[in-house]
Amino acid sequence: KLDYEGFFSPLVVERYAAYMHTKRQMADGSLRDSDNWQKGIPLTAYMKSMYRHFMDVWCHHRGWKQITLEPLEIALCGLLFNVQGYLHEVIKSRIAAAVNRDDPEF
C-alpha cells in the first residue's frame, strides 16, 4: 500500500498551499480557481520558471541570499510548483498515449 501520510509532510503541504493561495489573485482582483494550473501549462514555461526558482534556492544554499530574488521558502515553493506541474503534464501525456493505443493497463 502507498503510505501517503508517511510520504508527505503536513508542514510542507500547509506551506505550499499557503504559497499557492497567494498566487490566486489576478490583475482584476478576482481569484482564479485553485486547480487552474491543471488546465495545462507548456513544459517550456515550467522549465524556465523551475530554473529561475532553482537558481534562488541554490544561491540561498551557497550563502548568496543577497543576490536572490525571493526568500528561500518562496523559492522552494515555486520550485515545487514547477516540478509537480511538469510531472503532472508528463503523466497526463503518458496516460493519454496509453489510452490512445488501447493499453489494457488503463
Side-chain angles (χ1 to χ4, degrees):
K1 295 180 186 175
L2 298 177
D3 183 8
Y4 297 100
E5 192 279 329
F7 296 145
F8 294 98
S9 163
L11 299 175
V12 172
V13 171
E14 193 282 328
R15 181 62 183 95
Y16 180 68
Y19 165 82
M20 289 297 291
H21 185 70
T22 68
K23 302 299 183 183
R24 292 181 66 195
Q25 189 160 4
M26 297 192 293
D28 65 3
S30 63
L31 290 181
R32 66 174 53 101
D33 291 336
S34 59
D35 62 352
N36 186 55
W37 63 272
Q38 292 183 38
K39 293 177 182 174
I41 296 174
L43 292 178
T44 55
Y46 278 128
M47 182 57 71
K48 288 178 183 298
S49 180
M50 191 184 321
Y51 211 94
R52 287 190 302 270
H53 290 293
F54 174 74
M55 290 300 292
D56 269 358
V57 170
W58 191 15
C59 287
H60 278 285
H61 177 74
R62 292 292 182 122
W64 293 99
K65 73 178 185 176
Q66 68 271 24
I67 65 170
T68 63
L69 301 175
E70 303 173 313
L72 180 58
E73 285 187 21
I74 299 295
L76 286 166
C77 285
L79 187 57
L80 180 58
F81 170 76
N82 287 288
V83 168
Q84 67 87 32
Y86 196 105
L87 179 58
H88 178 81
E89 294 300 326
V90 167
I91 293 169
K92 277 187 0 185
S93 292
R94 176 175 47 82
I95 291 170
V99 168
N100 288 339
R101 67 173 185 268
D102 295 323
D103 192 322
E105 288 188 40
F106 293 96

